[in-house]
Amino acid sequence: MKKWYGGLLIMTLVMMLVFLYSFKGFQPRKQSAYNFFHNQQLVDDYVNGGSSAPPVNSSKLEQKRAPPVPRERPHLIHVEGLDDLYGMKNLTKEEMNAVIVWSYLRPLLSRSDALPETAQGVKEASVTWKKLLSMVEEDKVARINNIDSPENQNCPFSVTTFGKKISDSGITLELPCGLVEDSSITIIGIPNGNSSFQIDLIGQELDKKPNPPIILHYNVRVPRENMTEEPYIVQNTWTSGFGWGKEERCPARGSANQKVDGFALCNVQVGSNNEANVNVGQPTSDITSNVSSESAHRTGNFPFTEANPFTATLWAGSEGFHMTVNGRHETSFAYRELEPWLVNNVKVAGSLNLLSVLAKGLPVTEDNDIVDVDKLKAPPITRKKLVLLIGVFSTGNNFERRMALRRSWMQYEAVRSGEVAVRFFIGLHKNNRVNFELWSEAQAYGDIQLMPFVDYYSLITLKTIAICIMGVSRADN
């Protein structure tokens, strides 16, 4: 019986093979993926056995297969300041470890189809780079002569000013090393006189133009007696290249549905609106009464009022700026082209008795002389040992966050042994003090790779490319 079943199985397999080979001539013709999905003629051939398919309208195919528009091929162009970034004659071999990928990135920075803001980022970086090299040389001379370098000043945690009278040009408080996430600026004042005042976060202009960029313009129109216009808060940005952006005004309808770091653009109480509930059939006097009541309600909930003191705290989140007045969140403003780490000073102007301005939570550098650098210094990358390269995106003045990583998971044995390499990829900063502190940090810990452009968010793709380049080269010594 077993032999009979075995013979039947063999006969079945033979018949299946014969059946398959007998239909070999009817196999569909080979075709590309594009033809399979776009050429209806080939699909019809397959369905109809390859012989009797109806012809396809050639005019429609011509429309579908219109020739691509010829584009100019990318080519190398002259980018202002690019040559200045590669002047490194006085740098030692050890100092050059912080700029390993620069030579690889140069062709990308000078392409005609480079990323937006590449030209601007390179031009500004060339100015800061020359200044940085000059500061490094001055510091070397100062160390040789055993004197304190005037440039070697740590970034402070807080700065403040008290009881100054606002002049026509306003009061400016310098932020030595910019802002980072969770930095805050607290203003205590009393609105008076005219009906508005302004708070501006101003960036730094490297080419000494009279009008630096305004990263946040906060304009408050205070309610007064017999005002025909409702009070409001306007938030906006300004740059010399593009002028004023699209303003965001509070109160505003529907702003509660738009979130920044989980906060509404405008406080719901400030922007409450009951006009939609007014009955059209009511007498005119009742409607007027309701509108007046609504106006009084808005004014009563407005955070700034004439002759009443306020405490306003403007702080930087991960997605935007937020304003809290007298302990209540009032407005939020999402970051645009310019990020908070580019803020250089705070300016307060307008009709306001200013009692104090306090900026705290600012980026702080560590004194490398009292830190056990040897335990935190990154081991060199070697081709034989390296298993993994971890590239970390960072900004110049995020000193504390980098130190937190060095003291935590960068102390794992895999990192300390050199099998896993961790490198911070950071663009240059517009602030000269930040760049000098960043350079000192790079030389102390050996885990920073500087980028040949100012740190704009739109250029983050170049950092990704730099990580890939370093991962392939696998050597920084």
Side-chain angles (χ1 to χ4, degrees):
M1 182 66 69
K2 292 182 179 179
K3 292 183 180 180
W4 186 82
Y5 278 121
L8 180 60
L9 178 62
I10 293 173
M11 289 295 297
T12 303
L13 293 175
V14 171
M15 292 180 64
M16 291 177 62
L17 290 174
V18 172
F19 179 79
L20 290 174
Y21 277 103
S22 65
F23 286 93
K24 185 177 181 181
F26 297 98
Q27 296 300 317
R29 70 182 70 176
K30 293 182 179 181
Q31 52 186 296
S32 66
Y34 177 87
N35 288 334
F36 180 80
F37 288 105
H38 295 83
N39 193 338
Q40 186 63 37
Q41 178 67 53
L42 291 177
V43 176
D44 290 341
D45 285 348
Y46 176 76
V47 174
N48 293 283
S51 58
S52 59
V56 179
N57 191 323
S58 59
S59 61
K60 292 184 179 180
L61 282 178
E62 289 299 326
Q63 293 176 1
K64 292 181 179 180
R65 298 181 183 178
V69 179
R71 295 186 300 174
E72 183 181 2
R73 296 185 62 181
H75 57 279
L76 298 181
I77 60 175
H78 172 72
V79 179
E80 184 178 355
L82 187 59
D83 293 337
D84 296 330
L85 286 170
Y86 291 86
M88 308 178 187
K89 296 180 180 179
N90 297 328
L91 296 183
T92 64
K93 182 179 179 181
E94 184 177 355
E95 290 174 331
M96 290 287 290
N97 287 336
V99 291
I100 295 172
V101 298
W102 282 37
S103 59
Y104 298 97
L105 290 176
R106 182 166 186 168
L108 298 177
L109 299 176
S110 57
R111 282 175 63 105
S112 60
D113 60 345
L115 295 172
E117 295 186 333
T118 298
Q120 180 181 353
V122 169
K123 179 182 177 180
E124 294 174 342
S126 68
V127 177
T128 60
W129 178 247
K130 288 188 290 186
K131 178 60 178 177
L132 175 59
L133 293 181
S134 175
M135 294 168 65
V136 170
E137 287 300 314
E138 292 176 7
D139 182 66
K140 290 179 180 178
V141 173
R143 289 177 181 274
I144 293 174
N145 296 326
N146 198 24
I147 60 177
D148 291 333
S149 171
E151 304 292 351
N152 193 11
Q153 302 175 6
N154 291 335
C155 299
F157 176 78
S158 64
V159 291
T160 186
T161 181
F162 294 98
K164 289 187 177 181
K165 184 178 180 180
I166 298 180
S167 62
D168 293 338
S169 58
I171 291 178
T172 299
L173 177 65
E174 182 182 359
L175 305 177
C177 296
L179 300 175
V180 291
E181 188 175 339
D182 294 331
S183 294
S184 64
I185 301 164
T186 299
I187 299 171
I188 302 177
I190 305 174
N192 65 25
N194 295 327
S195 57
S196 67
F197 65 90
Q198 300 81 38
I199 304 170
D200 291 336
L201 302 185
I202 302 175
Q204 186 169 354
E205 196 63 60
L206 294 176
D207 48 5
K208 298 181 180 180
K209 291 183 179 179
N211 299 316
I214 301 176
I215 298 174
L216 173 63
H217 172 68
Y218 199 87
N219 184 21
V220 178
R221 183 174 179 84
V222 181
R224 300 178 64 196
E225 294 182 2
N226 301 324
M227 277 185 59
T228 58
E229 187 177 2
E230 296 286 351
Y232 59 80
I233 299 171
V234 170
Q235 302 175 105
N236 208 342
T237 57
W238 183 91
T239 61
S240 58
F242 299 97
W244 288 107
K246 182 180 179 181
E247 71 175 29
E248 298 179 8
R249 178 173 294 206
C250 293
R253 293 174 181 267
S255 60
N257 298 326
Q258 305 177 50
K259 303 292 183 180
V260 181
D261 290 317
F263 295 95
L265 293 183
C266 301
N267 184 285
V268 176
Q269 292 179 343
V270 172
S272 62
N273 195 331
N274 297 323
E275 294 176 7
N277 297 327
V278 177
N279 192 333
V280 178
Q282 287 180 323
T284 305
S285 59
D286 293 341
I287 296 177
T288 303
S289 176
N290 284 341
V291 172
S292 300
S293 175
E294 173 64 21
S295 177
H297 173 73
R298 284 190 176 187
T299 302
N301 281 276
F302 197 75
F304 304 98
T305 56
E306 186 179 7
N308 288 332
F310 67 85
T311 300
T313 299
L314 183 66
W315 58 278
S318 60
E319 299 177 0
F321 293 108
H322 308 277
M323 176 65 84
T324 300
V325 183
N326 298 331
R328 186 182 71 177
H329 169 263
E330 297 296 343
T331 61
S332 294
F333 183 77
Y335 300 137
R336 294 184 179 177
E337 295 82 4
L338 303 177
E339 291 81 6
W341 51 82
L342 298 175
V343 174
N344 192 53
N345 52 63
V346 183
K347 180 180 178 181
V348 182
S351 300
L352 185 69
N353 287 334
L354 185 63
L355 303 181
S356 70
V357 180
L358 169 65
K360 66 177 184 177
L362 305 180
V364 178
T365 56
E366 298 225 15
D367 190 348
N368 295 328
D369 294 333
I370 63 175
V371 176
D372 193 349
V373 175
D374 292 336
K375 289 185 177 180
L376 301 179
K377 189 177 180 67
I381 297 178
T382 60
R383 293 178 180 272
K384 293 182 180 180
K385 279 190 174 182
L386 186 62
V387 176
L388 175 67
L389 171 66
I390 300 177
V392 181
F393 293 164
S394 184
T395 55
N397 59 358
N398 258 327
F399 309 110
E400 292 180 290
R401 289 194 172 189
R402 289 191 292 273
M403 289 302 296
L405 297 189
R406 294 186 185 108
R407 290 190 170 106
S408 56
W409 60 266
M410 287 177 67
Q411 289 299 307
Y412 288 151
E413 178 60 27
V415 179
R416 300 309 306 164
S417 66
E419 293 182 353
V420 176
V422 182
R423 293 295 182 268
F424 298 97
F425 289 77
I426 309 171
L428 293 174
H429 202 281
K430 287 186 178 184
N431 187 305
N432 292 325
R433 184 183 296 187
V434 171
N435 283 330
F436 184 78
E437 294 293 343
L438 181 61
W439 178 262
S440 301
E441 182 184 346
Q443 301 309 314
Y445 303 104
D447 55 11
I448 289 178
Q449 282 297 306
L450 298 178
M451 300 288 99
F453 47 81
V454 166
D455 224 335
Y456 287 114
Y457 188 79
S458 59
L459 302 182
I460 198 170
T461 302
L462 295 176
K463 289 187 178 183
T464 305
I465 296 174
I467 294 174
C468 297
I469 290 172
M470 192 167 186
V472 173
S473 63
R474 294 189 177 186
D476 63 357
N477 54 7

